[in-house]
Amino acid sequence: MPAYTKLTAEHVAQLAALLSPDRVSVKTADLDLHAHDQSFTEAYLPEAVIWPESTEEVSQVLRFANTNLIPVTPWGTGTSLEGNSLAVYGGIVMDLSRMDKIIKVHAEDFQVDVQPGVTRIELNKHLQRYGLFFTPEPGANASIGGMIGNNASGIKTIKYGATKDNVMRLEVVQANGEVIHVGTRARKDSSGYDLLHLYVGSEGTLGVVTEATLKLEPLPANFSAMLAAFEGIEPAIQTVVDIVGAGLEPSALEFVDVETIRALRADKGLDLVDAPTLIVEFNGSSDGEGLVAAREICEQNGAINVQAASGLEERNRLWEARHHTYESLLRQHPGKAQQIVDVAVPISRYPALVMYANDVLTEHTLLGYKFGHAGDGNLHINIIHDTDSQPDLERVKAAYALIVERAIDLEGTATGEHGVGIGKRKFIVRQHGKALNVMRQIKDVLDPNGILNPGKIFL
Ligand SMILES: Cc1cc2nc3c(=O)[nH]c(=O)nc-3n(C[C@H](O)[C@H](O)[C@H](O)COP(=O)(O)OP(=O)(O)OC[C@H]3O[C@@H](n4cnc5c(N)ncnc54)[C@H](O)[C@@H]3O)c2cc1C
């Protein structure tokens, strides 16, 4: 890492002149607020927090930081789970929450132009009047900039894809302050290198996104959801493979293990059967047929209980509870930490991964809640532990590494949706091999002084 410059009072005054004094802070409260994300990663205190309000301001700050060798870490809403938005080397945290305009809805093209600070819930509220929505749906109310940074996804990815599949065009400010536009509003594009997708998932290490054109979908008129409970994990997981293999196209296909079901029942009072469960949802015109076929597969695979989530209210409660699994587990285990595993594999390897993870947790006598966007081959395990207990930490570390490494060996990835951040850097060589050298070269070309979110992705 280069020898970064520590911020002086003069630098802070210069930043205040570039923005305005009330949008540059060195107050302890502001620094503290931006020293943690939602992971259990240690805190990293920035030296200043700034709130730009325009592309021009972002450009001026980056030019200034690049010249003075000051790190800049973009910040959306700080809901990352791998330390992605933490200022490991201090410097400036650039909080983009004030750049939150919905610039233009192109309803006829199913697109919207937004600034990065708008959150997905605010955006979707606004889009309701057009009968449209932006499909990627992480559990937290993340900003669009942060979702692009981490290539976030969620429950509906199986049908609509991840953030990368739903971004068409970006305005990006490069490390030297230059503003570029990548991608196009056309649905097809064969022109030149695919820079758009280079920036999506780059965790703010290659440039700062100041505007995005997003792809939208019509709000579905119908939903039909079903809960299928199984005697054991194996038939439940095999059913996921069979539903995907049958070519059915659910809009959600989630796996929830029995421990997580119990936690959700206790915390949210949901009417659930204590057993490994699949939540299957279809939307759109062929939803009824899809559900009937999925139900048949569940029954053939020995489901012990299949129930329809009747009514929109019940369905919404179910998804709301599933979205807030993390918080429910926090409430079930006060004072304990959660190490979150987020691995993904090809669907045919999903059973092998889940059964392996199960064995590893048992061998290490750990309590791990297993659930995930199973239809995408994405598995989450929230491993409960005591951060004050060294033996606990050692066992968690060992089990976590084994599961992540197995996912990579099964031709999958160390992170399906949360990004590399700080936590997954140690697996990057195993997953990418020599391709990592190309990533480093790209980073060196686009950010030669290494000022953009240093300490992430690469070890
Ligand atoms: C309860 C809970 C549930 C979650 N569920 C999911 C889930 O289902 N799926 C999922 O994918 N994630 C999930 N997450 C993780 C998190 O919400 C996502 O990673 C989200 O994309 C982070 O968005 P953010 O606005 O908080 O970004 P931040 O955490 O602030 O930043 C994320 C990354 O993007 C960079 N960045 C931010 N803004 C910009 C910008 N304008 N230009 C360039 N880089 C930028 C940051 O530097 C950082 O590297 C969950 C988190 C929580 C707490």
Side-chain angles (χ1 to χ4, degrees):
M1 280 297 156
Y4 293 113
T5 308
K6 286 277 155 211
L7 272 187
T8 62
E10 197 186 328
H11 289 132
V12 175
Q14 284 171 316
L15 283 168
L18 291 177
L19 306 181
S20 72
D22 63 318
R23 290 190 283 116
V24 177
S25 176
V26 291
K27 286 187 201 137
T28 311
D30 289 323
L31 304 184
D32 274 347
L33 258 180
H34 292 82
H36 313 261
D37 61 1
Q38 292 294 313
S39 66
F40 287 90
T41 309
E42 67 181 286
Y44 291 97
L45 214 58
E47 294 161 68
V49 180
I50 63 162
W51 290 267
E53 288 183 350
S54 67
T55 302
E56 180 54 27
E57 286 185 351
V58 172
S59 164
Q60 286 183 1
V61 169
L62 287 185
R63 201 171 303 132
F64 162 82
N66 196 38
T67 311
N68 290 288
L69 275 186
I70 296 167
V72 178
T73 303
W75 179 281
T77 57
T79 65
S80 283
L81 293 168
E82 293 288 355
N84 320 51
S85 45
L86 302 185
V88 172
Y89 289 89
I92 300 166
V93 161
M94 181 183 275
D95 183 329
L96 291 135
S97 57
R98 296 205 192 177
M99 291 182 66
D100 63 349
K101 288 192 188 60
I102 297 169
I103 301 165
K104 187 167 180 168
V105 180
H106 306 274
E108 66 288 359
D109 289 326
F110 295 80
Q111 292 169 12
V112 63
D113 299 332
V114 295
Q115 288 189 315
V118 66
T119 64
R120 68 168 183 86
I121 291 182
E122 281 311 310
L123 175 62
N124 279 334
K125 259 192 218 154
H126 181 85
L127 292 171
Q128 253 176 13
R129 73 192 72 165
Y130 300 91
L132 297 170
F133 78 123
F134 178 57
T135 61
E137 193 185 19
N141 186 18
S143 70
I144 298 303
M147 289 174 66
I148 292 169
N150 288 349
N151 186 22
S153 54
I155 284 165
K156 300 201 177 81
T157 306
I158 185 168
K159 175 154 181 172
Y160 299 107
T163 298
K164 75 175 165 54
D165 305 303
N166 292 283
V167 173
M168 306 192 71
R169 186 189 138 273
L170 293 176
E171 177 178 87
V172 180
V173 184
Q174 297 188 277
N176 62 7
E178 212 166 271
V179 181
I180 59 168
H181 293 88
V182 295
T184 160
R185 291 216 303 117
R187 284 184 81 94
K188 295 173 78 171
D189 179 20
S190 298
S191 169
Y193 297 143
D194 188 355
L195 296 183
L196 176 76
H197 290 106
L198 180 61
Y199 285 103
V200 181
S202 65
E203 302 186 24
T205 62
L206 299 180
V208 178
V209 173
T210 46
E211 203 181 302
T213 300
L214 309 174
K215 192 174 144 198
L216 307 175
E217 295 289 339
L219 274 171
N222 311 307
F223 295 98
S224 50
M226 172 183 85
L227 289 154
F230 294 81
E231 213 156 322
I233 289 186
E234 270 180 294
I237 295 299
Q238 186 54 45
T239 304
V240 172
V241 179
D242 292 348
I243 290 176
V244 175
L248 303 178
E249 288 185 356
S251 50
L253 177 46
E254 295 282 306
F255 163 68
V256 189
D257 75 353
V258 62
E259 289 80 13
T260 312
I261 288 284
R262 281 197 197 106
L264 291 179
R265 207 162 46 74
D267 191 50
K268 299 281 183 181
L270 293 173
D271 179 21
L272 300 167
V273 175
D274 271 359
T277 297
L278 298 183
I279 313 175
V280 193
E281 181 166 289
F282 287 82
N283 64 21
S285 50
S286 63
D287 59 341
E289 289 162 32
L291 203 71
V292 170
R295 187 184 186 115
E296 271 172 20
I297 295 174
C298 290
E299 285 167 353
Q300 278 161 15
N301 288 359
I304 52 171
N305 186 302
V306 181
Q307 69 188 76
S310 52
L312 192 61
E313 199 183 318
E314 193 185 329
R315 167 200 175 262
N316 289 347
R317 271 187 66 213
L318 181 67
W319 286 125
E320 203 262 344
R322 169 61 191 86
H323 265 145
H324 293 98
T325 308
Y326 174 77
E327 290 93 336
S328 285
L329 297 181
L330 279 181
R331 284 190 286 273
Q332 298 290 306
H333 300 279
K336 301 276 180 171
Q338 297 179 47
Q339 174 69 61
I340 300 178
V341 178
D342 160 43
V343 286
V345 292
I347 193 72
S348 63
R349 308 291 177 90
Y350 201 61
L353 175 71
V354 178
M355 297 318 291
Y356 177 78
N358 213 30
D359 292 346
V360 167
L361 292 171
T362 309
E363 278 161 23
H364 290 75
T365 53
L366 288 167
L367 173 57
Y369 289 88
K370 296 181 287 305
F371 51 92
H373 316 308
D376 306 324
N378 193 184
L379 176 69
H380 292 314
I381 309 172
N382 289 19
I383 309 177
I384 308 298
H385 63 286
D386 187 346
T387 44
D388 294 333
S389 156
Q390 199 52 35
D392 238 31
L393 285 173
E394 291 301 325
R395 280 182 297 125
V396 171
K397 221 167 118 184
Y400 177 83
L402 284 170
I403 296 166
V404 174
E405 285 167 5
R406 177 54 68 98
I408 295 170
D409 294 347
L410 289 169
E411 299 179 90
T413 173
T415 167
E417 52 185 29
H418 298 163
V420 179
I422 300 168
K424 288 280 167 59
R425 288 177 307 172
K426 50 184 167 297
F427 304 106
I428 195 111
V429 176
R430 191 181 185 109
Q431 181 167 339
H432 295 286
K434 285 186 190 152
L436 195 60
N437 297 335
V438 179
M439 289 193 204
R440 279 189 205 282
Q441 286 164 17
I442 290 170
K443 170 74 177 168
D444 288 345
V445 167
L446 294 183
D447 180 19
N449 292 336
I451 61 153
L452 284 169
N453 201 2
K456 307 301 160 54
I457 300 182
F458 306 104
L459 262 180

